[in-house]
Amino acid sequence: MFDRNDRASSEPYTVEPKPSHQASSSSRDGQIPMFNHNGHKVTKGIHPDGESGRKGLHPFRFLKICFRSTCTASRYANLLWPVVPAAIAIHFARSDLHLWIFILNFIAMIPAANLIGFAGQELARKLPKVFGIILETTLGSVVEIVLFMVLIRKGETSIPVIKAAILGSILANLLLCLGLCFFVGGLRRHEQEFHEAHRSPLPNTARIVALVVPAAYSTALSGSSTLTVPQAVLDDNILKISRATAIVLLVAYCIYIFFQMRSHHSIYDEVLEGDEHKDEDRHVDLKKDKLTLTECVIALLFALACVSLIAVFLVEQIEFIVGERGISDAFMGLILVPLVEKAAEHLTTVDEAWDNQTNFALSHVLGASIQTALLNTPLVVLVGWGLGHHMDLNFEIFDAIVLILAILVVGNFLRDGKSNYLEGVLCVLVYITIATAAFFYPNPPHPESTAAASGTAAARLLLAKT
C-alpha cells in the first residue's frame, strides 16, 4: 500500500553509508555521514531540516528563496517591496506630505518585517527545536523593539503611544492572531487539539498581570478618600515601582528561557517534534531550497536596516496623525502600531495553524506575548530611565481592563485543550470591539501640554495680582 521511498522521504534525515572506497576511513574515525531529505550532507552543528547543501552567498537563488518565503500569504506580502524605496524617497523628497509618508511607511513595514520573520525561520531550522523557536520569536519581536526605542527617543509626548502599544501588542497576539489561528485551522478540521503545556493560562496570566500593578497602585491611591498622597510623590512612587517591576520582569524572562531550554526542554522538544509530523505538507516543505547560514545573516541585516529606517520615518509622523487627523493615542498604540509590527509574524503563525501545527502556532502566539511582557517592556522602561524620560507602567485604566478581559477570554478557550472556528471568530470579534472603543477613546493630556497650561495659568494669575 505504501511506497517505501515515499515513506523515507518524509523523515527528517537518513544515515547513509559512504561508498566502499571510503569505508576504511569512516571506520577509523567511527563516524558515518548523515544526509538530509534532499541528499545533502549535513554540516556539523546544523539540524538536518535546515541544511541547504550550499555555502556562502548565491545571489539569484538567494533572491528566489526569499521571494518564495514561508507560505502563499507571505509571498503576496513580498509583492509590497516596491513600496519600501517609495516610502524612503517620499520622506526626503516631500517631507510636507505627512499623511502619505505615514501610509507608505506603514505599508512598507510589512514586507521588511516579513523578511525578518522568514530569515529568522530559516535560521531557526538549523538549530535545536526549542532554541530555534525562542530565537525565531525574539527576531519577530525586533520590529517591536525598534519601534519602542525610536518612540522613547522622541521624548515624553510618545510615552502614551508606547504604553498603549505594549498592551496592544499582547492583545493582537492573544485575540487577533490566536483567533485567526483557531478560525483558519477550524475550517479544515472539526477540532484541533494542542498539548497540555499550552492549556493552563496561569503562567501567562501571572507574567502579564505584573504589568498592571503600577496602574492598580495609581488608581487605588488617586481614588482613595482616606489616603491622601501629593501628586508629585505619587508620580515619583509609580516611576520607582515601574522601574523595579521592569527589573523583576527581566529576571522572570531569564528564568523562563532557562525553564524552556534547560530544565524542561525535553517536554517542548517532544511537543514540537510531534507537531512536525502532523504537518500535512511537510514533504513539500522539506524539499524546498533553504538559505545558507551566510544568506540568513545577510537577509536579517538588510531587513533590520530597512525596518529601522521605516520605523524612524513612521514614528516622526505619529504626532501629526494624532494631532491633525484626530486619531487617538489609544487607537494608534492599541491597534495601528501592533498591526503593522505583527502582520508578518501573524501570517507565519496562521499558516502553521492551517497546516495543523497547532502547538507551533501556540508557541509563537504565547511566546510573542511573553516576549513583549518580559523583555520588550522592561527594555523600554530601562532605556527611558537612562534617557531621563518619565517612562512608567501606569497604563490607562481602559487599557488595563481590556488586557485582563482578553486574558480571561483566551484562558477559557485554552482550558479544554481543543479549538474550533467558532472560538476563533469570537476572539476576533472581541478584538474588533476593543478596537472600536479605542478609536473613540479620548487622548489624555500630554505632560508638555499640561505643563504649558499650568505655566499660562500662573502667568495670568501673576498679571492679575499686578
Side-chain angles (χ1 to χ4, degrees), residues 1 4 46 56 89 137 152 170 183-184 194 223 254 267 286 306 334 345 353 361-362 376 378 388-389 394 399 427 437:
M1 182 179 293
R4 184 176 181 180
I46 299 294
T137 305
I152 194 63
I170 298 172
F183 174 73
V184 168
F194 42 87
C254 295
I267 299 175
L286 288 175
C306 291
L334 276 176
E345 187 179 353
L362 283 174
N376 303 355
H389 298 320
N394 185 16
D399 299 341
C427 283

Side-chain angles (χ1 to χ4, degrees), residues 109-404:
M109 184 66 79
I110 296 174
N114 186 55
L115 181 57
I116 291 180
F118 174 68
Q121 186 182 62
E122 287 290 297
L123 183 59
R125 288 177 186 270
K126 304 177 186 300
L127 304 170
K129 290 290 186 298
V130 178
F131 179 67
I133 287 290
I134 293 174
L135 178 64
E136 187 180 350
T137 305
T138 303
L139 289 172
S141 299
V142 165
V143 179
E144 183 174 277
I145 293 173
V146 170
L147 280 170
F148 285 176
M149 295 304 116
V150 175
L151 279 166
I152 194 63
R153 184 67 181 84
K154 282 185 66 68
E156 303 288 339
T157 55
S158 297
I159 288 178
V161 176
I162 298 175
K163 291 180 182 179
I166 289 171
L167 301 189
S169 176
I170 298 172
L171 289 175
N173 281 307
L174 291 182
L175 292 177
L176 180 61
C177 185
L178 188 65
L180 290 175
C181 288
F182 285 172
F183 174 73
V184 168
L187 290 178
R188 302 180 71 181
R189 303 157 197 91
H190 183 68
E191 283 184 335
Q192 286 184 300
E193 296 185 1
F194 42 87
H195 194 267
E196 61 183 4
H198 300 301
R199 294 179 188 178
S200 174
L202 293 179
N204 301 312
T205 303
R207 296 179 185 114
I208 295 172
V209 167
L211 292 175
V212 301
V213 171
Y217 175 88
S218 173
T219 304
L221 291 183
S222 299
S224 176
S225 58
T226 57
L227 299 174
T228 57
V229 180
Q231 188 62 40
V233 176
L234 180 61
D235 291 341
D236 185 60
N237 288 343
I238 292 171
L239 188 60
K240 291 176 180 176
I241 294 172
S242 299
R243 290 168 178 172
T245 302
I247 296 172
V248 170
L249 290 175
L250 281 178
V251 173
Y253 180 73
C254 295
I255 297 173
Y256 165 72
I257 295 297
F258 181 82
F259 179 86
Q260 281 204 318
M261 291 188 60
R262 300 290 297 180
S263 64
H264 289 67
H265 70 94
S266 59
I267 299 175
Y268 294 95
D269 275 333
E270 179 186 350
V271 172
L272 297 178
E273 286 179 6
D275 237 33
E276 282 187 337
H277 294 285
K278 289 167 55 181
D279 186 0
E280 296 179 356
D281 60 355
R282 176 172 167 76
H283 61 289
V284 177
D285 194 46
L286 288 175
K287 290 180 180 179
K288 290 180 180 178
D289 287 339
K290 312 294 191 303
L291 292 179
T292 66
L293 184 62
T294 304
E295 290 170 343
C296 289
V297 174
I298 291 173
L300 284 171
L301 291 176
F302 176 74
L304 285 173
C306 291
V307 162
S308 300
L309 276 177
I310 294 168
V312 171
F313 302 156
L314 186 69
V315 166
E316 286 180 354
Q317 306 306 320
I318 287 180
E319 187 174 352
F320 171 83
I321 298 298
V322 170
E324 300 296 327
R325 294 291 172 171
I327 301 297
S328 67
D329 287 337
F331 188 76
M332 178 65 71
L334 276 176
I335 308 301
L336 292 183
V337 172
L339 276 181
V340 69
E341 74 187 26
K342 296 291 185 183
E345 187 179 353
H346 289 178
L347 290 177
T348 302
T349 306
V350 172
D351 178 64
E352 290 171 342
W354 175 260
D355 291 335
N356 203 28
Q357 293 183 287
T358 319
N359 291 303
F360 265 105
L362 283 174
S363 295
H364 281 114
V365 170
L366 300 179
S369 300
I370 292 170
Q371 286 264 353
T372 299
L374 301 187
L375 179 63
N376 303 355
T377 301
L379 283 179
V380 74
V381 172
L382 297 178
V383 170
W385 187 3
L387 295 175
H389 298 320
H390 196 281
M391 176 62 206
D392 56 35
L393 298 178
N394 185 16
F395 298 106
E396 288 289 320
I397 192 66
F398 168 74
D399 299 341
I401 289 174
V402 296
L403 175 65
I404 294 172

